[in-house]
Amino acid sequence: MNNINEYISDVVTIDQNAADAINKSKDDFYDKYEYLKPDIEKSWLEEKWDSACEWCKENWQSIVSVFVTIVIVVGIVILSISTFGTAIPVIAVGVVGAIVGVSGQLISDIISCAITGDWAGNWQSYIGSAIGGFAGGVLLLLTNPIAACSAEAAISTFFGENLENITWGQKRLTFEILFDTGLSTGTAAFFSVALSKITGKLSKTLSKKIPVFKRLSGINSYDASFKMVITKLKQGSIKKFHYKTIRNGVISGLSGGTLENIASGFFDEIKEWYDEWRELSQN
């Protein structure tokens, strides 16, 4: 009986030693050839790390694009602050631009939805519109409205579509994103020039005909009041702005860009129809 127990004990010991040797050899092998390690052998942390690495590998271009866009926007803000020596007007026009950008995206999506019955908007595009609008608002301090409007469209589209790529939204190739960015930039510049006179005349007509719209045009308009406060902030004659400054800027931006947003909604829908037709024709 004692011999049997000793035999069993020896077998267990040998088996354990063999298992330890096998596991050590296996670990040494996987340390050297980690890419050969099957998923079933991986720990929870290793699986998450591999998933993160795979995600970075698949989306590195969009990740870099989002990072570069943020750096550009920060650079614009720093340049503007250093130019005027104060951050207050930069913050004011940036906040106004962000609100107008998001509102403009909403108007465009509503027009598109009214045509098709489908809601095409997503949270990525609204974040892109907010960041693009902020940058466009700041650029109004440094450039002209056409350049600022074009830059806003470019940043909004480029950032929003790359953000979709890395947040499991609609997947687009780099060429598609660059094409959409160039197209939105060009159409924004075109609409800004082509519709500016019509918008101005419409604002004057509404301000004269309808009392509630009387501040859409003239020396006491929302636009004039907003620009006056921003000028004083830039000059340093006032040190802070009231919430009415934001209100005046937002109303001014929305009234001035409504026709552009409506036209953009129609144009986006035409582009979507074309993309669907091209995809069907290729299949």
Side-chain angles (χ1 to χ4, degrees), residues 124 163-172:
Q124 294 95 332
L163 186 61
E164 282 189 69
N165 272 5
I166 63 178
T167 54
W168 302 279
Q170 182 177 345
K171 284 288 184 180
R172 292 181 176 87

Side-chain angles (χ1 to χ4, degrees), residues 24-41:
K24 186 178 186 306
S25 298
K26 182 175 65 175
D27 292 339
D28 291 342
F29 177 80
Y30 288 142
D31 286 341
K32 188 174 182 179
Y33 304 102
E34 188 176 354
Y35 58 92
L36 294 177
K37 191 174 186 178
D39 291 339
I40 195 171
E41 296 285 348

